Amino acid sequence: MGLDLYIETKITEKKTGHIISRDYDFFEDNYIEICYWCSWFFSDVRDGLIEIANKYSGQKYTSKDFEIPFPENALHEIYGYLLENSFVQESEYKYPDSIAREMPNIENAYKLRRFMQGLECVKHKNIFIFDDIKKYIPDENDWKNLNENPQAFEWKFRISNSY
């Protein structure tokens, strides 16, 4: 088996605790994908993400844990970590897996940055700009409520480590 690594979020209504997000690939899971890596090439990225999650959550998760929650305030450091680990030194380009490691990290750093910008709009302007998330909100009323007052919802985060 290979390594499947995700950064995911779950959207919950603060007042009621009602979970509005759904991942249709995993019917009983309410977390939706923000970033995804697929290969053992990224085991070092996984280890770095777990280290950051532990730092911010005060926990001691390891690579053997499948679900690793972390607080929202860890996103900025995770983003920085992805950027730092995106670029392969020119001397390493002779290895066939170098570019295969570089591009997913760059793409995921970009996705995470756009996601963080969306969260900033929610926090500071009460504006919801995540149109691509609509497919994960099956109830039209939930979607309407989220768009009308996104600050009434909370976002929980985790690293999903599947191997």
Side-chain angles (χ1 to χ4, degrees), residues 120-127 151:
E120 290 300 313
C121 286
V122 167
K123 281 185 198 172
H124 300 294
K125 298 177 183 176
N126 204 25
I127 297 172
Q151 290 178 352

Side-chain angles (χ1 to χ4, degrees), residues 114-144:
R114 286 186 39 91
F115 182 83
M116 290 169 22
Q117 288 171 322
L119 287 179
E120 290 300 313
C121 286
V122 167
K123 281 185 198 172
H124 300 294
K125 298 177 183 176
N126 204 25
I127 297 172
F128 188 79
I129 64 167
F130 298 106
D131 288 336
D132 56 332
I133 289 180
K134 184 173 182 167
K135 65 185 174 187
Y136 297 112
I137 315 286
D139 185 297
E140 285 298 320
N141 285 329
D142 288 340
W143 178 249
K144 181 179 172 251

Side-chain angles (χ1 to χ4, degrees), residues 22-27 29 32 134-139:
R22 301 281 183 277
D23 184 339
Y24 295 103
D25 291 335
F26 302 99
F27 293 106
D29 197 352
I32 56 179
K134 184 173 182 167
K135 65 185 174 187
Y136 297 112
I137 315 286
D139 185 297

Side-chain angles (χ1 to χ4, degrees), residues 46-47 50 61-68 161-163:
R46 176 197 57 198
D47 296 343
I50 292 170
Y61 292 103
T62 70
S63 61
K64 291 182 175 37
D65 293 301
F66 293 117
E67 296 175 357
I68 302 156
N161 173 34
S162 175
Y163 53 89

